[in-house]
Amino acid sequence: MAAAARHSTLDFLLSAPADCNAVLKGLQPVFQEQGMTETIHNWEDHGYLATYINKNGSFSNLRIYPHGLVLVDLQSHSDDVKGRDEIDHLLNKIEERMKELFHSSIKRVKRLPAIVRGGAIDRYWPTADGRLVEYDIDEVVYDEESPYQNIKILHSKQFGNILILSGDVNLAESDLAYTQAIMGSGKEDYTGKEVLILGGGDGGILYEIVKLKPKMVTMVEIDQMVIDGCRKYMRKTCGDVLDNLKGECYQILIEDCVPVLKRYAKEGRMFDYVINDLTAVPISTSPEEDSTWEFLRLILDLSMKVLKHDGKYFTQGNCINLTEALTLYEEQLGRLYCPVEFSKETVCVPSYMELWVFYTIWKTRTEV
């Protein structure tokens, strides 16, 4: 396999407008010492872009903005220690030279860890609110395409195995806080209760509820391959509950939950708790255009039809920073076939690296 590309950056923010020509002339010798070929683009009022190409395939872009921002981007294919040392040496020389030339006017110097692109292990996953996070992933444990989604289980040194579905971080072995929150944060008595779990293929919710001696838990998960992967590689989360589709107080249905909910509603079957672990609140703020919102409203309505009058519905919301999407979700709750009330809490889910909102929803007590 070819070596991955390493993208290194070095930024300088000057406290005064930059003399673009002086910056260029000052740094040219550093690149020339490396035997790099130079190409210069000059935009009169917009500064310089200098590109330096090395014989080994690495290259560097030097962008000098007149307002005082100087950016160095360096990309290389070398993945060995010697190659990384050479890159570090070049960046160190550039930083030293800039400090010699503009010491009194340098407001900030910023060098970020290198971004590795095209590596055998993908360590970069965005948060729900669009920030880039680099995880300490050291192994691809499981990577399969099901008829419904891409399923990855990656090993993190901090968080244990992490389930990632179609690019979204779902749950890590460290994330008991998520499971507890979507079950009511320890405030509920599940003893002798009827519980319906929508989704939950990682087995975490089922495993924790079974411990609480419910009458019966029905879990409806559409993707058998999620269950297969988690049964083998997420056992700290699911224990042994995924080993069999039926247990003393639970059953797992490998089905689409929508027809199941419709069937239960028609039969008049009711539950004390419905836990929706299917999907987070959509990031899109156009509910009339986004099919995920339509699906979400359908699930809410059907769930209310199978929820006992004094029952509770638990679900995740999304990242606390997505205030517009969360507000829109709360507006949808006012459009259901029956009036409902809700409460919410914010929980730190370790592998998400962001605060996450969870909802408890119940039928308004006057509703018959």
Side-chain angles (χ1 to χ4, degrees):
M1 180 180 291
R6 296 177 62 84
H7 190 148
S8 303
T9 61
L10 177 58
D11 305 343
F12 301 90
L13 181 61
L14 307 183
S15 58
D19 181 339
C20 297
N21 190 58
V23 174
L24 180 64
K25 296 296 183 185
L27 292 180
Q28 277 177 327
V30 177
F31 293 103
Q32 290 168 354
E33 288 172 5
Q34 307 299 315
M36 303 178 87
T37 302
E38 179 185 70
T39 303
I40 299 175
H41 302 274
N42 180 9
W43 300 281
E44 296 178 358
D45 297 327
H46 302 288
Y48 288 93
L49 170 63
T51 300
Y52 296 91
I53 300 174
N54 207 323
K55 292 178 181 179
N56 63 9
S58 65
F59 66 91
S60 179
N61 290 326
L62 170 63
R63 183 68 171 97
I64 309 166
Y65 291 92
H67 66 274
L69 181 62
V70 179
L71 305 178
V72 178
D73 293 90
L74 204 156
Q75 185 171 303
S76 67
H77 286 280
S78 182
D79 200 31
D80 56 29
V81 175
K82 180 181 178 183
R84 291 197 294 270
D85 288 346
E86 289 175 352
I87 297 302
D88 287 340
H89 175 73
L90 176 56
L91 293 172
N92 290 339
K93 295 289 289 184
I94 293 170
E95 186 172 342
E96 290 170 8
R97 184 61 176 149
M98 282 292 291
K99 288 179 177 178
E100 289 173 6
L101 294 169
F102 307 102
H103 176 71
S104 60
S105 62
I106 292 180
K107 187 176 180 180
R108 185 172 71 220
V109 179
K110 189 71 173 182
R111 189 191 302 194
L112 298 174
I115 294 177
V116 179
R117 301 165 67 181
I121 298 175
D122 186 359
R123 298 183 177 90
Y124 304 96
W125 301 94
T127 58
D129 60 353
R131 292 172 292 111
L132 183 63
V133 173
E134 179 177 5
Y135 285 82
D136 58 346
I137 303 297
D138 58 6
E139 183 184 359
V140 178
V141 177
Y142 183 83
D143 188 356
E144 298 289 343
E145 291 284 343
S146 82
Y148 306 100
Q149 58 203 331
N150 174 260
I151 306 165
K152 285 184 174 67
I153 298 177
L154 309 178
H155 180 263
S156 157
K157 297 175 185 176
Q158 292 182 80
F159 306 122
N161 286 346
I162 305 175
L163 174 65
I164 298 175
L165 299 178
S166 296
D168 288 331
V169 174
N170 269 56
L171 194 76
E173 291 177 319
S174 63
D175 295 344
L176 182 60
Y178 175 99
T179 304
Q180 291 174 333
I182 206 169
M183 288 172 53
S185 295
K187 302 170 188 174
E188 305 300 322
D189 180 8
Y190 285 91
T191 306
K193 301 296 175 60
E194 292 270 2
V195 184
L196 177 63
I197 302 172
L198 308 177
D202 53 73
I205 299 170
L206 179 60
Y207 181 56
E208 295 302 321
I209 288 183
V210 164
K211 297 177 185 177
L212 304 178
K213 304 189 183 308
K215 180 180 179 182
M216 176 56 66
V217 183
T218 301
M219 184 178 107
V220 187
E221 167 61 53
I222 196 172
D223 200 336
Q224 176 73 57
M225 290 181 67
V226 171
I227 290 175
D228 292 342
C230 293
R231 180 176 62 239
K232 187 172 182 179
Y233 299 111
M234 298 282 289
R235 293 191 76 84
K236 289 182 181 177
T237 295
C238 67
D240 61 358
V241 295
L242 299 182
D243 291 353
N244 299 288
L245 295 181
K246 286 189 177 181
E248 184 178 337
C249 63
Y250 72 88
Q251 61 175 338
I252 301 172
L253 307 180
I254 310 300
E255 296 186 48
D256 181 343
C257 71
V258 172
V260 172
L261 283 168
K262 289 179 177 179
R263 183 169 74 244
Y264 286 167
K266 186 176 180 180
E267 294 170 354
R269 185 169 178 186
M270 305 295 279
F271 295 87
D272 298 288
Y273 295 99
V274 177
I275 301 176
N276 178 355
D277 194 33
L278 294 168
T279 182
V281 168
I283 293 174
S284 163
T285 53
S286 302
E288 305 309 321
E289 301 173 7
D290 191 327
S291 61
T292 308
W293 279 105
E294 184 179 339
F295 174 72
L296 185 147
R297 283 192 295 268
L298 175 63
I299 295 298
L300 274 167
D301 256 332
L302 290 172
S303 296
M304 291 303 114
K305 289 178 180 178
V306 301
L307 185 67
K308 291 182 180 179
H309 178 66
D310 58 351
K312 290 184 180 178
Y313 174 94
F314 295 118
T315 189
Q316 61 171 315
N318 211 310
C319 166
I320 194 172
N321 287 343
L322 296 177
T323 53
E324 286 186 58
L326 293 171
T327 299
L328 199 53
Y329 176 74
E330 292 166 17
E331 290 175 2
Q332 307 307 306
L333 298 180
R335 301 177 183 177
L336 303 181
Y337 87 94
C338 66
V340 301
E341 298 175 54
F342 70 90
S343 64
K344 58 186 176 180
E345 69 170 329
T346 302
V347 173
C348 179
V349 180
S351 76
Y352 287 16
M353 300 195 200
E354 54 189 332
L355 296 178
W356 210 251
V357 178
F358 293 83
Y359 285 92
T360 301
I361 301 166
W362 62 92
K363 295 177 181 179
T364 301
R365 299 310 181 203
T366 57
E367 194 272 324
V368 179

